[in-house]
């Protein structure tokens, strides 16, 4: 790559610079060479992915592109899938995985864009919040549909705990917490039952996970198509690992109430 250099400069034990990115926009190209391992939230996800040989979801962070373009800054996250130089049979131990690591395939997201990709009109009838981690606290708030989707703000009565459904999703070694309420424009809270909220919460989480999985697999396929046959084989291996993990998550998840 012309004029490629690793940023930030300096000597570190490990590097994880961006070497390939799509789409080929000017803003995306400005992220080439950035060492994502210098971001603590990304580094933890990279290491977890490398050592477990599984897809890893980062904590919330600011994407490099958004850090450069302050006018479009949004909180996001990244999914990482490790790619190894050896077949899975040779990766029984953490030490073997670290020695065989070739790199990562990643997919970055802005939370508002991810929610929009679900594409359900039903979202406008709900008020939901997504928290980064197991605690539904103001400090961990990741996404609020009332403000992000420009919906009428709910009243304190509509946000009362007895009308709140809370569910957690654990994927990629990380937890999100979803709190769901009737929207201010929806039916009166007294006629909206908690079991229905729980069912909707489970459906919304499944849709978000499905969108994550599909987009990451699409990224894996595109990266494989742009690589040598050996690299394509490793990408196919990563895709199969992702399918296995997603299937296991779906089969172990309890049915919505």
């Amino acid at each position: 790559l012309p004029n490629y250099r690793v940023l930030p400069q300096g000597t570190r034990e490990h590097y994880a610079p961006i070497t390939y990115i799509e789409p080929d926009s000017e803003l995306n190209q400005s992220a080439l060479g950035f060492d994502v391992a210098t971001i603590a939230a990304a580094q933890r996800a990279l290491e977890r992915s490398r050592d477990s040989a599984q897809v890893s979801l980062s904590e919330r962070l600011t994407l490099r592109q958004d850090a450069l373009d302050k006018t479009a800054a949004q909180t996001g996250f990244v999914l990482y899938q490790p790619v190894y130089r050896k077949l899975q049979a040779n990766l029984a131990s953490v030490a073997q995985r670290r020695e065989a690591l070739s790199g990562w395939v990643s997919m970055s997201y802005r939370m508002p864009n991810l929610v929009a990709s679900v594409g359900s009109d039903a979202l406008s009838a709900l008020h939901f919040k997504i928290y980064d981690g197991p605690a539904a606290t103001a400090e961990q708030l990741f996404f609020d549909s009332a403000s992000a989707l420009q919906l009428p703000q709910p009243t304190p009565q509509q946000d009362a705990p007895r009308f709140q459904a809370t569910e957690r999703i654990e994927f990629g070694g990380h937890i999100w917490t979803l709190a769901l309420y009737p929207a201010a424009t929806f039916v009166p809270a007294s006629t909206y039952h908690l079991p229905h909220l729980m069912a909707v919460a489970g459906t919304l989480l499944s849709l978000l996970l499905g969108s994550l999985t599909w987009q990451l697999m699409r990224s894996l396929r595109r990266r494989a198509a742009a690589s040598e046959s050996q690299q394509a084989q490793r990408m196919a291996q990563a895709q199969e690992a992702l399918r296995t993990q997603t299937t296991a998550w779906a089969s172990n998840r309890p049915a919505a109430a």
Side-chain angles (χ1 to χ4, degrees):
L1 296 173
N3 303 318
Y4 182 85
R5 58 176 181 154
V6 175
L7 295 174
Q9 298 179 349
T11 302
R12 296 179 285 278
E13 184 178 1
H14 301 290
Y15 297 84
I18 299 173
T19 59
Y20 176 88
I21 194 169
E22 59 178 27
D24 189 19
S25 65
E26 182 177 353
L27 187 58
N28 275 347
Q29 290 301 308
S30 67
L32 283 172
F34 178 70
D35 184 2
V36 297
T38 59
I39 301 177
Q43 182 183 29
R44 286 189 286 271
L46 288 167
E47 292 176 348
R48 187 169 63 246
S49 176
R50 174 199 64 194
D51 291 350
S52 67
Q54 296 184 357
V55 65
S56 181
L57 188 153
S58 78
E59 303 158 43
R60 59 180 176 173
L61 47 77
T62 300
L63 303 179
R64 174 63 174 175
Q65 297 91 319
D66 290 345
L68 295 173
D69 182 8
K70 302 296 185 182
T71 63
Q74 300 181 52
T75 303
F77 64 95
V78 184
L79 281 174
Y80 295 102
Q81 175 72 47
V83 179
Y84 301 98
R85 293 186 296 271
K86 298 179 180 180
L87 297 177
Q88 192 72 25
N90 298 323
L91 303 175
S93 70
V94 170
Q96 288 173 320
R97 294 168 191 160
R98 292 180 178 181
E99 194 278 330
L101 183 71
S102 176
W104 293 266
V105 173
S106 66
M107 191 73 187
S108 58
Y109 300 85
R110 298 173 182 87
M111 184 60 81
N113 295 349
L114 174 64
V115 173
S117 72
V118 171
S120 174
D121 293 336
L123 296 183
S124 62
L126 300 169
H127 174 212
F128 61 94
K129 300 177 182 180
I130 299 175
Y131 297 88
D132 187 46
T137 63
E139 293 75 17
Q140 296 302 109
L141 182 62
F142 201 170
F143 179 85
D144 186 339
S145 66
S147 56
L149 302 179
Q150 298 182 339
L151 301 175
Q153 293 294 324
T155 65
Q157 181 182 3
Q158 287 168 321
D159 270 1
R162 64 195 181 101
F163 298 120
Q164 174 181 333
T166 302
E167 271 209 38
R168 292 181 176 84
I169 179 174
E170 183 171 2
F171 183 68
H174 192 60
I175 295 175
W176 285 344
T177 299
L178 173 69
L180 190 65
Y181 319 80
T185 56
F186 204 48
V187 297
S190 60
T191 65
Y192 201 82
H193 302 297
L194 185 59
H196 182 65
L197 280 176
M198 293 296 292
V200 174
T203 300
L204 179 56
L205 287 175
S206 296
L207 289 171
L208 290 173
L209 177 63
S211 181
L212 284 174
T213 303
W214 179 79
Q215 292 184 52
L216 181 58
M217 291 182 68
R218 183 179 64 173
S219 177
L220 287 165
R221 287 194 295 268
R222 287 182 176 179
R223 187 66 181 90
S227 305
E228 299 292 338
S229 59
Q230 183 180 6
Q231 181 73 0
Q233 181 180 4
R234 295 200 296 267
M235 292 297 173
Q237 172 193 346
Q239 285 189 47
E240 183 58 33
L242 177 62
R243 280 195 201 93
T244 301
Q245 293 160 44
T246 305
T247 301
W249 179 88
S251 61
N252 293 329
R253 186 177 179 278

